[in-house]
Amino acid sequence: MAGRRGGSVSSAEASLLAAGTGGVEELCEHLADDTVAWALLRWEVGSGTFVRSKLVAIHFNGEEVPAVRRGRLNARSGEVLAMLGEAHATLEVKRKEDLHLDFMCERLMKVLTADVMEKSMSAEALRKDYEALIAERKLRKATSQKSVGPRTAKENQKQISVDRALAAVGDATGPYNWVLLEPEKFELHNAGYGGLLEMKVWLAEDLVLFGVIRFTFGRETASSVEGMTASPKVVKYIFVHWVGPNVSAVRRGKWNAKQQQADAQVRAICSITFRREAHSLDDLDLADLISELWRLAVVDGAITDAGKSQISVEEYMASLALEQQKQLEAELEEFGSDSASRMCTDLHTCVDSVREAGGEMNWVLLGMQKREAPAQAAGAKEAAANAKKAEEERLATEAAAEAKKVEDERCAREAAANTKKVEEERLAKEAAAEAKKVEEEGRAKEAAANTKKAEEERLAKEVVQGEPASSRPRADSPFLTEEARPSESVISTRLAGHKGQASTEPRMSGPLKLKSGWGWWWAKRHVKLTGGKLQWWRKAAEGLPDVEYRLSDGLTRWVLARHEGTDLEMRCESRDNHHGSKAVGERVILRAPSEAEAQKWKDALMEQMEYVEMLLAWPMHLDGRQGDIRNYGIEYP
């Protein structure tokens, strides 16, 4: 390479910008239209023993790069392409958006199908084949990364003793924050640093387990002394006694008997705030446990008011996120020798990996970069520190969001419980009111029955002791002589209080419009009200009426249901819920020529109805026939 001259493009050297296994799409993520870069891409088609690899060199000549700088960089293109080595095809791309799978398939169709076995493949088939291979590699990489640095001791396959695991939990900054012991010999079931949610995953439904979990709230500011780490402000421990729902009764009794031994073993390494026996995962609700810790802290008065304010779901999740980050970094350092060997950081190593058929990397990107000055290196370190701080803030934000979600769910459950309670109370009140109503109705019916019975007994006694002065034998009784039978003049005198009601002259008469039954049309009829009867004819009032209704008798009665303007609506009702008459439910609507005429018909109808009702209430003997006033020689008006 040429000697370096300060600040010029010629002083820069080709360096590794990025490398990966995600193919064209992943390569595009590292390109920008204001840069000039060179890439080597291994394009693979086919599968199994028929996989074919083609190397494609890509000169990315960003169109937004200034013309002078672009010209100087392009002058060194041959130098960089030589470092990438020979390729089956070379492409030039000026915009990031132009570099996609369809573009590659179209431009490389002849190269990619040069082999005899692949001449029949279409561009679409090449695309699908390539995408399938890239997806397979991504899955393999993700699986490999997932196996590095597991969270729990069992996943990590560490041979850790029970005492060491308990000591790690008992240490306020230890690598584990929960541990579970099996009931037989108190062997380690598992331990981890993922907090309550992780521990609940390992609670087997067919076992009784004993364990302890550490809750940390808030963190002290780190000491200025080098090597000193931050320590938690408030640390609490909860002893967990898990009883799986599928444990048999015999084993449950046998294992539960060892609870005191497990309790003593845990107390040897930490101070237990309280114990929680759980038969389901719902018994280990995060918000509920932290609420109990806060309550006990207030009662005991062992911590300051500031410490009490920190005992919350939000503070716990934030502290837990910091613990997890610290432990993940420690595990990455522990597994660093193995994982670093698989990370390509050297330019020539990455190029060789891309050129090798089946190599881990399938693309590499080179560019011209000046060697960093000391000030730039310091800036990079500061940027890394800022990035780490931003990551910690992101984790804290996520933890706060998770805590808020847990709190919202708890509030929703409480609201649902309160709603259910209010609804139950309302239903209980309604049921009580209904029961009271039924009870009052029953008492009213019983009182009415007693009153009726007493009245019947009284009347029976009067009949035995002698007929009361107010009672009179019926006019048609066979035991009366002709002299004792009341005459029509006597009856007329008794009804003199209702002057004109017994007259045979019509009370009202004239032409009206009417609807009978439940029809929809009006008919003009000659209507007459006389002697408690409503009659009408089609034309003049001659001969027998076409229709005749009794306003009241022993079974039914007509009532005025509605008076609106010139309309009068009458309906037939049953007495004492008796439905034996066909007239029950009938309806008649009368329409008068004017509102004044309608008022006259209304007054006449009401007088006739009241008069007939008075006759039906006439005092009579209790011989079962008092419902028909004609038995007394009185005709209906």
Side-chain angles (χ1 to χ4, degrees), residues 183-245:
E184 287 289 346
K185 299 180 180 180
F186 299 113
E187 296 176 343
L188 181 66
H189 181 71
N190 205 353
Y193 58 89
L196 178 65
L197 298 179
E198 184 182 66
M199 185 189 75
K200 290 168 70 173
V201 175
W202 294 92
L203 296 175
E205 294 185 350
D206 57 349
L207 285 177
V208 170
L209 298 172
F210 305 104
V212 61
I213 180 169
R214 184 180 71 223
F215 284 78
T216 58
F217 304 92
R219 303 190 71 81
E220 297 283 4
T221 305
S223 174
S224 60
V225 181
E226 184 176 358
M228 295 291 289
T229 60
S231 59
K233 285 185 178 180
V234 180
V235 180
K236 297 292 181 180
Y237 294 90
I238 299 176
F239 181 86
V240 177
H241 178 191
W242 168 257
V243 182

Side-chain angles (χ1 to χ4, degrees), residues 548-567:
E548 178 181 281
Y549 286 121
R550 291 182 181 275
L551 295 181
S552 184
D553 59 21
L555 298 178
T556 61
R557 63 182 175 187
W558 284 79
V559 296
L560 183 62
R562 180 176 62 91
H563 175 206
E564 185 175 338
T566 61
D567 292 349

Side-chain angles (χ1 to χ4, degrees), residues 14 20 22 54 61 81 103 222 243 279 289 311 326 419 448 464 474 484 583:
K54 304 295 181 180
N61 196 6
L81 291 176
F103 170 79
V243 182
H279 296 262
L289 294 177
I311 300 179
K326 177 183 176 182
T419 302
V464 173
R474 295 202 319 268

